[in-house]
């Protein structure tokens, strides 16, 4: 079977891109709908203490009123109090220990030095006391049932025959020893210490606590409890318009919601529920695609990026659905909803992150209790998470962002709790733990971003931070082999970063591009004036055409080195475009001056391009030219620097180098002002004032 070439594969992908996009949308909607709970949505939102502003709610059928958790807990406590712990009586224990006592007496009698005529009395007294003690029963107390009173009722099983007793009638090993000690003391002619020593070794428990049987009895009692109290009849008003939702009304509404969902689960049309969910999720995904088409066409046209966005959205909603289906312990607020806007913000931009977060919360709101509260918590937290990492310049911003999100959750939690309860003392602060747990899980965004970068070949701000570290291999090599170029790149990075920060753009990206834009000069560093340390210039012995080609080749060499070092394409674009398609004018003009009669192919002296196609690349081109030209100023002052910057910017405009960079004339004025101010600071020019 013939294998398609790489170019043919790309052509086919471009041809069927729309079909692939449509397939991904359908797949995403299908997975989300499949994961969502298939039940009808209760049509009312309510909170305790609020006014019921809707019409009178009349019950369409009979339903039982559910007990509150407090009522159920009180019933369980009362029911469990009726269950007495079960002890199993082992009659063989007493018999075996009595026989053991006889043996002990025989062994130790000969060394006791007691007259043999008393032996029968010792034996009879010991056996009688042991039989009496084991007949009463020896047990080990259980603190669970004492509850401030050392005595409690127990059930004793003897051959499956149950007898109710009180522990006051039973003996512990300690009380049994004391009882025997007291009884022996009343018998004349007996060595009390000798006989008691023999007997206490044979005093063991013959009543054993049966934990499994007791727990089974407790479970049966709890299971037989009713979880309802009273009924609401068909046609009865559950709550009237304008009424306050008090405890009783709140419980009736909760009971009605449960009855509604149970009824819908049994009698509802699951196909229609499925259709409704498909329409809702389909609408959300379609709105997302429309947003990308209208405002982020670059992402919309790249199915690789679209698939990443759909994967993140689908995974979050599927996780929520799984939590609802499995009824995870705790709370649905443990799920890290803020992880979605953080990932999208780091990998793409703020607008897209906010748009996607809103759509995810809207869908989730259909399937969680207290939808309005949920939406308020998550929308505000998502907005805060996006704002807190607007410019990701340091890794610790993730931790700072987590603290800010936690604070936002806390303010929302306290505000909603006060509105609902009207009292600080009524707030259950343990309910805030799910939000704190959610923020901790949000830190998983960091490894996920790394994974998505590798899987989808995306460059995030985190990667750019790593690339701008001057200890990165390529930059360290450039600092050693081409120190002049390295210093030039640092100055260009500072100029470009400040300019792009002022006019709006990705400052980290432009800094990374500036640091790497001239790495191709490491191939022949001495052919570039900033690396020449003596009066010798290797260009003096070369034809102008060859010198121009050496200068121009630093672009292609830089691209080659960058790809070998696995630099992101978005950074390589700065290497490719930082000279646009301008001429190497010094060698071109020198050739014309020295060989006016010769025909010259101007393309020999022109960079291959392309011209900058982003605001960041355009700013870098200007910063590179301005910084390089400023080094030729013999006496830099305010006027000469100002003239230089104006001339270079005008030249780039005249050469149509900035027409694709989306830089406005207003932006250019801002850029020139920043360049002039920074260059004067670099060259220590004193401004008159």
């Amino acid at each position: 079977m013939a294998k398609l070439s790489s170019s043919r594969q790309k052509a086919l992908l471009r041809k069927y891109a729309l079909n692939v996009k449509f397939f991904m949308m359908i797949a995403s909607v299908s997975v989300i709908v499949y994961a969502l709970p298939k039940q009808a949505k209760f049509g009312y939102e309510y909170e305790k203490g609020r006014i019921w502003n809707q019409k009178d709610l009349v019950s369409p059928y009979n339903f039982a009123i559910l007990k509150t958790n407090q009522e159920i807990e009180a019933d369980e406590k009362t029911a469990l109090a009726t269950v007495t712990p079960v002890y199993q009586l082992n009659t063989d224990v007493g018999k075996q220990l009595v026989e053991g006592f006889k043996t002990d007496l025989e062994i130790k009698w000969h060394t006791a030095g007691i007259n043999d005529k008393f032996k029968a009395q010792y034996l009879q007294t010991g056996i009688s006391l042991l039989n009496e003690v084991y007949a009463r029963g020896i047990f080990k107390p259980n603190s669970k049932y004492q509850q401030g009173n050392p005595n409690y009722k127990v059930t004793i099983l003897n051959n499956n025959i149950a007898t109710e007793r009180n522990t006051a009638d039973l003996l512990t090993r300690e009380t049994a020893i004391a009882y025997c000690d007291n009884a022996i003391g009343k018998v004349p002619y007996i060595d009390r210490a000798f006989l008691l020593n023999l007997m206490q070794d044979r005093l063991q428990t013959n009543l054993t606590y049966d934990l499994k049987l007791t727990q089974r009895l407790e479970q049966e009692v709890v299971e037989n409890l009713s979880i309802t109290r009273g009924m609401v009849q068909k046609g009865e008003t559950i709550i009237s318009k304008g009424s306050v939702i008090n405890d009783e009304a709140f419980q009736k509404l909760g009971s009605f919601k449960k009855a509604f969902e149970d009824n819908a689960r049994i009698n509802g049309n699951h196909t229609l529920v499925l259709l409704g969910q498909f329409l809702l999720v389909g609408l959300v995904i379609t709105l997302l695609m429309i947003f990308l088409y209208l405002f982020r066409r670059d992402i919309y046209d790249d199915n690789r990026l679209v698939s990443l966005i759909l994967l993140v959205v689908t995974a979050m909603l599927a996780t929520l659905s799984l939590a609802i289906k499995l009824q995870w312990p705790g709370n649905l607020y443990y799920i890290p909803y803020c992880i979605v806007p953080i990932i999208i913000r780091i990998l793409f931009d703020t607008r897209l992150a906010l748009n996607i977060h809103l759509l995810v919360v809207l869908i989730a709101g259909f399937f969680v209790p207290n939808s309005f509260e949920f939406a308020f918590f998550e929308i505000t937290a998502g907005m805060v998470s996006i704002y807190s990492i607007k410019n990701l310049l340091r890794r610790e911003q993730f931790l700072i962002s987590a603290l800010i999100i936690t604070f936002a959750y806390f303010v929302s939690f306290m505000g909603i709790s006060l509105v609902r309860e009207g009292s600080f003392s009524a707030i259950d602060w343990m309910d805030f733990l799910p939000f704190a747990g959610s923020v901790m899980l949000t830190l998983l965004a960091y490894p996920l971003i790394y994974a998505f970068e590798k899987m989808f070949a995306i460059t995030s701000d985190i990667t750019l931070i790593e690339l701008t570290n001057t200890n990165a291999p390529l930059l360290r090599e450039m600092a050693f082999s081409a120190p002049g170029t390295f210093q030039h790149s640092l100055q260009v990075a500072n100029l470009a970063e400040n300019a792009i920060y002022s006019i709006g753009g990705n400052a980290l990206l432009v800094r990374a591009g500036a640091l790497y834009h001239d790495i191709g000069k490491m191939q022949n560093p001495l052919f570039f004036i900033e690396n020449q340390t003596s009066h010798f210039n290797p260009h003096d012995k070369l034809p102008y055409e060859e010198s121009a080609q050496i200068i121009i080749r630093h672009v292609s060499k830089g691209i080659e080195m960058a790809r070998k070092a696995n630099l992101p394409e978005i950074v390589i674009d700065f290497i490719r475009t930082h000279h646009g398609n301008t001429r190497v004018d010094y060698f071109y003009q020198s050739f014309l001056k020295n060989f006016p009669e010769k025909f010259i192919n101007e393309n020999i002296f022109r960079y291959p391009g392309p011209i900058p196609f982003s605001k960041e690349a355009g700013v870098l081109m200007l910063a590179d030219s301005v910084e390089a030209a400023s080094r030729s100023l013999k006496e830099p002052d305010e006027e000469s620097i100002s003239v230089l910057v104006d001339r270079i910017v005008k030249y780039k405009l005249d050469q149509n180098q900035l027409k694709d960079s989306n830089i406005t004339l207003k932006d250019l004025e801002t850029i020139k002002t920043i360049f002039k101010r920074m260059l004067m600071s670099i060259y220590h020019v004193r401004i008159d004032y």
Side-chain angles (χ1 to χ4, degrees), residues 432-455:
F432 183 71
L433 285 181
F435 298 102
S438 171
V439 175
M440 294 299 294
L441 291 174
T442 299
L443 294 176
L444 291 173
Y446 189 82
L448 285 175
I449 288 168
Y450 177 81
F452 288 143
E453 281 189 276
K454 298 303 179 184
M455 290 169 58

Side-chain angles (χ1 to χ4, degrees), residues 279-537:
L279 291 174
L280 291 174
V281 178
L283 175 62
V284 165
I285 298 299
T286 302
L287 287 173
L288 175 58
M289 290 297 108
I290 292 173
F291 175 86
L292 293 176
Y293 181 82
L294 294 177
F295 302 105
R296 288 302 306 267
R297 190 63 182 267
D298 57 323
I299 298 176
Y300 177 84
D301 291 336
D302 191 337
N303 281 341
R304 173 176 52 90
L305 301 181
V306 172
S307 65
L308 169 58
I309 292 170
L310 291 178
L311 174 63
V312 172
V313 172
T314 304
M316 174 51 66
L317 290 174
T319 302
L320 172 64
S321 303
L322 183 65
I324 295 173
K325 283 185 176 181
L326 297 181
Q327 296 181 349
W328 284 352
N331 200 300
L332 293 176
Y333 287 108
Y334 276 113
I335 299 174
Y337 301 97
C338 290
I339 205 170
V340 171
I342 287 177
I343 290 175
I344 300 300
R345 165 60 193 89
I346 297 297
L347 297 180
F348 298 102
D349 64 31
T350 300
R351 285 191 306 168
L352 182 58
L354 183 57
N355 188 278
I356 289 176
H357 183 60
L358 290 175
L359 294 177
V360 168
V361 171
L362 284 176
I363 284 294
F366 274 98
F367 306 97
V368 298
N370 299 322
S371 300
F372 175 78
E373 283 188 13
F374 171 83
F376 185 86
F377 276 124
E378 301 310 330
I379 289 176
T380 53
M383 293 170 70
V384 167
S385 66
I386 293 169
Y387 301 159
S388 63
I389 52 172
K390 180 181 181 294
N391 293 303
L392 184 62
L393 301 177
R394 300 178 304 277
R395 294 176 187 273
E396 58 264 29
Q397 281 184 246
F398 274 110
L399 292 176
I400 296 171
S401 178
L403 292 175
I404 296 173
I405 295 169
T406 304
F407 179 73
Y409 270 133
F410 180 76
V411 172
S412 298
F413 172 79
M414 191 161 63
I416 290 177
S417 297
L418 290 174
V419 169
R420 185 193 301 141
E421 306 292 346
S423 169
F424 277 108
S425 60
I427 298 176
D428 186 355
W429 298 105
M430 294 299 293
D431 289 343
F432 183 71
L433 285 181
F435 298 102
S438 171
V439 175
M440 294 299 294
L441 291 174
T442 299
L443 294 176
L444 291 173
Y446 189 82
L448 285 175
I449 288 168
Y450 177 81
F452 288 143
E453 281 189 276
K454 298 303 179 184
M455 290 169 58
F456 294 91
I458 297 174
T459 305
S460 73
D461 286 354
I462 298 172
T463 298
L464 294 176
I465 289 174
E466 294 172 350
L467 290 175
T468 54
N469 185 345
T470 53
N471 284 318
L474 272 180
L475 296 181
R476 195 166 59 245
E477 182 183 349
M478 181 165 63
F480 177 77
S481 61
T485 300
F486 179 70
Q487 292 301 321
H488 161 71
S489 298
L490 288 176
Q491 296 288 10
V492 171
N494 291 332
L495 289 170
E497 185 177 25
N498 278 278
I500 202 68
Y501 192 84
S502 298
I503 67 172
N506 192 330
L508 265 178
L509 176 60
V510 80
R511 184 169 187 83
L515 289 174
Y516 289 91
H517 78 285
D518 270 345
I519 57 173
K521 292 182 178 180
M522 286 191 288
Q523 292 284 336
N524 296 295
L526 293 179
F527 283 86
F528 299 90
I529 192 169
E530 66 266 23
N531 298 309
Q532 295 171 5
T533 57
S534 65
H535 294 293
F536 171 73
N537 188 341

Side-chain angles (χ1 to χ4, degrees), residues 116-145:
D116 286 343
K117 68 178 182 179
F118 298 113
K119 182 177 181 181
Q121 186 179 3
Y122 274 80
L123 183 63
Q124 182 60 37
T125 301
I127 293 173
S128 176
L129 283 174
L130 287 174
N131 286 331
E132 184 180 347
V133 165
Y134 284 117
R136 287 183 62 180
I138 302 176
F139 81 114
K140 185 177 181 180
N142 192 322
S143 59
K144 174 183 175 182
Y145 300 99

Side-chain angles (χ1 to χ4, degrees), residues 598-623:
K598 283 190 177 182
F599 172 77
I600 179 66
N601 181 3
E602 186 180 318
N603 289 331
I604 295 175
F605 297 88
R606 190 175 291 278
Y607 286 97
I611 63 174
F613 46 81
S614 70
K615 186 180 290 189
E616 288 82 2
V619 168
L620 173 63
M621 169 185 274
L622 295 174

Side-chain angles (χ1 to χ4, degrees), residues 218 378 662:
E218 290 176 343
E378 301 310 330
N662 198 31

